Amino acid sequence: MNAGASPAVVRELHDDILVVTINNPPVNALGVAVRRGLLEAFDTAEATPRVRAVLLVGAGRDFLGGADIREFGQPPQPPALPDVCNRIEACAKPVVAAIHGAALGGGLEVALAAHYRIALGTARLGLPEVLLGLLPGAGGTQRAPRLIGAKAALDLMLSGRHIGAAEALELGMVDRVAAGEVAQEEGLAYARELLARGAPVRRTRDATALSERAAQQAAIDAARDSIARKPTGLFSPGRIVEAVQAALDLPFDAGLARERQLFIECLDSPQRAGLVHAFFAERATAKAPEMGTARPRPVHAVGVVGGGTMGAGIAVALLDAGLPVTMVERDEAALARGRANVTKVYDGLVAKGRMTAAQRDAVLARWQGSTAFEALADVDLVIEAVFEELDVKLAVFAQLERVCKPGAVLATNTSYLDVDRIAAATKRPADIIGLHFFSPAHVMKLLEIVVPAQVAPDVVATAFELARRLRKTPVRAGVCDGFIGNRMLAVYRQAADHMMEDGASPYQIDRAIRAFGYPIGPYEMADLAGGDIGWATRKRKAATRDPAARYVQIADRLCERGWFGQKTGRGFYRYPEGARQGVPDPEVEAIIDAERQRAGVTPRPFSDDEIVRRYLAAMINEGANVVDQGIALRPLDVDVTLLHGYGFPRHRGGPMKYADMVGLPQVLADIQRYAEDDPLFWRPSPLLLRLVERGANFDSLNQPGANHA
C-alpha cells in the first residue's frame, strides 16, 4: 500500500503494521517533502482500520539526520516540524521508531514523539542544535526531560554530543537495543511483540522522569550555574535551560509554547548567523578544487620523521585513524623519547578509563621506530616534523628523496617556511606538500594543507583525504611566510604589542580579548606556546624587516631573561610551582615601562572596546590581504583557520564573517583612523577598499565563481 505517498516517505502495509520509510538521501533530512509525507502517512494510518500499529524507519544509512540544511535561510514551508511531532505522538495506534545510523536534532525529536523506540547498534542519537545557536524546537526540550530527566537531557542539549545505542538504553531514551542489523526487520518484530502483549499507546509527554521535583530543580540550577561560570557569551545555552525549566514548571502544551518562544529568540540572535556560517564554511573547506579532477593516492602506511611533541602528536593522530606508523629519529635515545611521547598519550587514556590496556597495546602494535631512513622505503606518505630550520628540513627531504618509493607523498609540517623551496630542492617536486598540524596535533582539528606551485593534483587530493581520515578540518593554503593562520597571527599580535607599548597592560589586553569570546588572550597564548618560538621567528625575519616599520621589543626583553612562558615558570605571567594559570608579574610591568621610556612613548589609557576594535581590525585587514593574494581561496577559508587553530569565538563566525556583521565601511573607517598615526602598519587592504567601494561584503566572495577584482 503506497498509493499517493510522497517519494520522500514510502508507505507499505506489512499485515497489520504500516511501515513508514523516510527516503530522502543522503541523510534523510527533514525537508518539507518528508514533513508532508509523514503527516499524510499518519492520516492514512488513522483512517485505515486494518492498521494496528505504525513503524517508522529510515532508508539508507540513517534514521533521520535532522533539519535539511538546504532550507536554511529560506522562508519556512508548512507543516512545521513541531506539528509533525505532535501528530505522531497523538496517533491512537502504537508508533514504533526503529533507529539506525543518525537520529540527530529534529530526527531524534521525531523518534521521541513515537511511543516506543528500538535502536540498532549503529545508532547515534543527539540534540546538537546548540552548535548552531539554537535549541531543540520541535518538543525536544519538553519530551527529553520527561523521558530521561533534566540532568541527562541538559547534558545532551548543552554539549551537542552524540550517544550510542547502549548509552541511550541506559538513559531510558530507547526501550531496546536490537541484536540484528536491519532496522525494518527488528522494528517489525518489536511492533508485533508489542501488539501481541496488548501494549498501549505510550506518549512521551506523559513520561514521569521529572516527577521528583527537588532533584530535577537541582539539576537545572547546576546547569544554570555552570553556564554562568563560563564567560563564553553564548546565547542559546541559557535558553535551553529556561526551556527545561518550563518542562518542570508547566503542563506539556504550555511548555511547548514556551519552547517555541525561546526558539524564536535564538533564531533572531546574531550568534546564530555566525554559527551557521561556521557550519557551512567547514563543509566548504573540506572540498579542494583538485578533488574534482584527481583521485587520492592510496595510503596504507605512513612515516613520521621526528618524535618530539609535534611528531608524536601526528603519530597519535595517524594511529587513531587506524594507520600503521613508522617513526624515524636521529638516534636511539631520541627514538625512545619519541615512543615515550606517543605511549604517554595512550597511558593517559587508559588512566581516564577511555581505553583499556589491551586496546592501548593493540594500537601501539601498529607503531614501529627506526634510526634509519631506509625504514620508510615502503610507506605511502611521510610527514616530516623536525626542527623549524630550513637547512634541517632540506637535509631530511634529501634522505626521503633517496629512500622513498616512487609515488610516495612527502609532506612537511613546517609552520612558516617556504614549501616551494623545499620542493624545488628535490627531484620530485610533484610529490611535495605542506601539512601544517597544530599542537597538540592529535587534539587540534585544523590542518592547513599548503599547496606549492609544482605539486601534483592527486597529491593535494591525497592530503584532503588524509584529513578526512584523521577527522581534521582541512583548509587549503598557498605558500607564504606563515601561510594563512600564522601570517595573520603575526600581524594582529603586532597590533596588540603596539597597544601594550602605548599604554595598555598585557593583562588588560588578555581580559578584553577573553571578554570578546576567546578562550585565552594573546599573551596567555604566547606563554602557552613558548616565547622562544616567536623569538626565533622574529630573529629569522630581522634581516628582511622594513626599517621604517614599528618594532616592539618587550617580548625580546623577556626572552633574553629566559622567560619563555609556562615551561620556564615565567613569561608575561608568573607560573608559581608549575601552575597552569598565570598571575600578573610586576617585574614584567616594570620592563614594559622601561621599554616605553626607551622608545619615547608616553603611555595613554585604552578602553576594552578600543583594544578589541584594533585587534580585530588588524586581523580582518590581513585576512583580506591573504584572500586578495590567493593564499586563501575565499574569506571562509580564513574564518575556518582562525576558528579551529587560533581560538576565534565560533559564535562570531570567524573574522571575515564578523567584519560583514559589523559592516565593512566601519572596519575600513577604523583602519583609516588608526593609519593617521601609523600609515605603514595600518595600510588598508586593496580588497577591503574595493569591496567597500562597490558596496559588497566578504561573503560575496565565498560564492562559486566569485570575482575578487
Side-chain angles (χ1 to χ4, degrees):
M1 180 177 109
N2 195 31
S6 160
V9 177
V10 179
R11 305 193 300 264
E12 291 182 320
L13 193 59
H14 288 248
D15 298 323
D16 52 2
I17 300 172
L18 183 65
V19 177
V20 178
T21 304
I22 297 96
N23 183 29
N24 186 27
V27 296
N28 291 335
L30 278 159
V32 62
V34 171
R35 300 195 300 274
R36 288 174 180 166
L38 285 171
L39 281 190
E40 292 170 4
F42 278 87
D43 287 344
T44 298
E46 295 272 30
T48 307
R50 184 179 170 190
V51 172
R52 295 179 60 213
V54 181
L55 173 64
L56 278 172
V57 295
R61 66 175 188 262
D62 294 309
F63 174 70
L64 273 171
D68 192 335
I69 60 175
R70 291 169 293 192
E71 295 183 4
F72 281 24
Q74 304 297 318
Q77 298 184 62
L81 186 58
D83 297 332
V84 174
C85 291
N86 292 340
R87 178 69 186 88
I88 292 170
E89 189 173 55
C91 185
K93 301 172 181 181
V95 180
V96 176
I99 303 168
H100 76 293
L104 302 174
L108 181 53
E109 289 179 292
V110 168
L112 292 174
H115 305 145
Y116 298 90
R117 285 159 293 281
I118 183 171
L120 271 62
T122 60
R124 290 182 296 112
L125 295 80
L127 293 167
E129 287 86 351
V130 70
L131 303 179
L132 292 176
L134 297 173
L135 54 77
T141 68
Q142 304 303 298
R143 291 189 177 95
R146 284 173 166 82
L147 189 64
I148 64 173
K151 185 175 188 296
L154 282 165
D155 170 61
L156 284 179
M157 290 186 281
L158 293 174
S159 69
R161 71 185 183 94
H162 302 173
I163 62 173
E167 186 176 356
L169 179 66
E170 183 179 346
L171 292 176
M173 188 162 270
V174 302
D175 301 292
R176 180 176 294 184
V177 175
E181 298 179 358
V182 181
Q184 181 169 306
E185 290 179 5
E186 297 294 329
L188 280 170
Y190 185 41
R192 290 186 180 115
E193 179 187 324
L194 291 169
L195 289 174
R197 67 172 193 247
V201 166
R202 188 193 62 177
R203 297 188 173 94
T204 306
R205 63 184 290 158
D206 300 324
T208 60
L210 294 177
S211 58
E212 291 193 17
R213 182 177 177 86
Q216 303 306 313
Q217 186 63 60
I220 295 170
D221 291 343
R224 191 178 282 117
D225 291 346
S226 176
I227 291 169
R229 288 195 304 271
K230 297 175 183 174
T232 60
L234 291 176
F235 183 78
S236 63
R239 310 287 89 68
I240 288 170
V241 173
E242 291 312 306
V244 175
Q245 184 72 63
L248 183 63
D249 293 343
L250 301 175
F252 184 78
D253 290 330
L256 282 183
R258 179 63 177 144
E259 176 189 84
R260 177 53 37 177
Q261 291 172 349
L262 294 165
F263 182 80
I264 290 169
E265 288 180 19
C266 291
L267 276 179
D268 292 340
S269 165
Q271 293 187 2
R272 178 175 177 267
L275 290 164
V276 169
H277 171 77
F279 176 86
F280 283 110
E282 288 156 358
R283 280 147 183 78
T285 64
K287 299 168 185 172
E290 290 84 356
M291 295 184 76
T293 58
R295 294 178 61 84
R297 297 180 186 179
V299 175
H300 303 296
V302 181
V304 175
V305 182
T309 300
M310 183 59 75
I314 293 169
V316 170
L318 295 163
L319 291 168
D320 285 347
L323 287 160
V325 174
T326 301
M327 179 179 284
V328 171
E329 259 289 7
R330 62 184 181 275
D331 55 42
E332 290 293 344
L335 186 61
R337 287 193 295 271
R339 180 177 174 85
N341 287 337
V342 172
T343 303
K344 181 180 178 182
V345 174
Y346 291 108
D347 286 344
L349 294 176
V350 172
K352 293 173 185 174
R354 292 166 55 186
M355 173 180 271
T356 66
Q359 289 170 328
R360 173 199 60 200
D361 295 345
V363 171
L364 291 174
R366 286 189 273 105
W367 182 96
Q368 59 180 326
S370 177
T371 58
F373 278 92
E374 283 75 10
L376 302 175
D378 294 324
V379 301
D380 303 299
L381 181 148
V382 180
I383 302 170
E384 164 275 309
V386 301
F387 192 65
E388 189 76 348
E389 286 283 353
L390 184 61
D391 289 343
V392 176
K393 291 182 184 290
L394 290 176
V396 168
F397 274 84
Q399 294 285 355
L400 296 180
E401 181 181 42
R402 178 177 64 83
V403 304
C404 289
K405 66 185 181 182
V409 174
L410 310 183
T412 175
N413 177 55
T414 180
S415 303
Y416 290 94
L417 300 178
D418 188 337
V419 183
D420 279 319
R421 279 193 65 187
I422 294 172
T426 75
K427 296 184 177 66
R428 47 200 289 185
D431 294 334
I432 310 295
I433 196 161
L435 293 178
H436 179 206
F437 289 80
F438 287 71
S439 185
H442 60 292
V443 175
M444 294 289 282
K445 291 294 186 185
L446 181 64
L447 179 61
E448 274 186 309
I449 296 175
V450 186
V451 180
Q454 297 184 65
V455 68
D458 64 344
V459 170
V460 181
T462 304
F464 275 84
E465 172 60 17
L466 179 69
R468 185 195 66 78
R469 291 174 70 177
L470 299 185
R471 298 184 178 180
K472 300 292 185 188
T473 300
V475 175
R476 188 188 193 280
V479 176
C480 69
D481 196 288
F483 319 127
I484 298 173
N486 281 341
R487 170 175 165 173
M488 291 177 62
L489 171 64
V491 173
Y492 63 80
R493 170 61 192 274
Q494 283 180 61
D497 287 348
H498 294 173
M499 289 188 283
M500 177 169 58
E501 190 172 66
D502 285 339
S505 82
Y507 314 122
Q508 182 195 3
I509 293 170
D510 280 350
R511 285 195 304 271
I513 299 307
R514 286 199 309 270
F516 178 76
Y518 272 82
I520 59 176
Y523 298 105
E524 292 168 307
M525 174 56 75
D527 279 0
L528 179 63
D532 51 328
I533 297 174
W535 193 30
T537 301
R538 293 191 297 275
K539 288 189 287 188
R540 175 172 59 83
K541 297 166 79 170
T544 57
R545 187 182 301 127
D546 185 340
R550 181 177 180 181
Y551 181 71
V552 176
Q553 300 180 31
I554 294 168
D556 295 350
R557 299 291 91 80
L558 304 185
C559 290
E560 287 162 5
R561 288 165 168 79
W563 298 356
F564 297 144
Q566 287 191 16
K567 62 188 173 186
T568 59
R570 295 186 79 171
F572 284 95
Y573 294 79
R574 280 181 178 266
Y575 300 89
E577 299 177 0
R580 304 291 288 176
Q581 188 73 35
V583 295
D585 188 343
E587 287 189 62
V588 169
E589 292 179 299
I591 291 168
I592 294 170
D593 285 338
E595 281 298 306
R596 288 169 180 159
Q597 292 176 27
R598 183 198 57 76
V601 172
T602 301
R604 68 173 180 87
F606 282 78
S607 69
D608 287 0
D609 178 67
E610 184 181 358
I611 288 170
V612 170
R613 286 177 77 145
R614 282 179 177 263
Y615 193 76
L616 270 294
M619 186 184 303
I620 292 160
N621 196 51
E622 191 62 14
N625 286 331
V626 163
V627 174
D628 198 34
Q629 295 165 17
I631 302 302
L633 293 177
R634 300 147 298 195
L636 66 81
D637 295 271
V638 172
D639 286 336
V640 172
T641 301
L642 273 289
L643 286 171
H644 282 280
Y646 297 84
F648 196 95
R650 185 179 179 84
H651 66 275
R652 299 188 187 275
M656 315 314 273
K657 177 64 176 178
Y658 176 75
D660 282 351
M661 292 194 283
V662 168
L664 299 195
Q666 179 180 311
V667 174
L668 179 58
D670 282 349
I671 291 169
Q672 290 171 330
R673 188 171 71 256
Y674 305 149
E676 293 172 6
D677 295 326
D678 188 347
L680 183 60
F681 182 80
W682 291 106
R683 185 181 297 146
S685 167
L687 176 59
L688 182 58
L689 289 167
R690 292 196 302 272
L691 290 173
V692 171
E693 183 179 348
R694 67 175 191 247
N697 62 9
F698 286 122
D699 193 51
S700 67
L701 305 180
N702 290 327
Q703 314 312 317
N707 182 6
H708 293 195

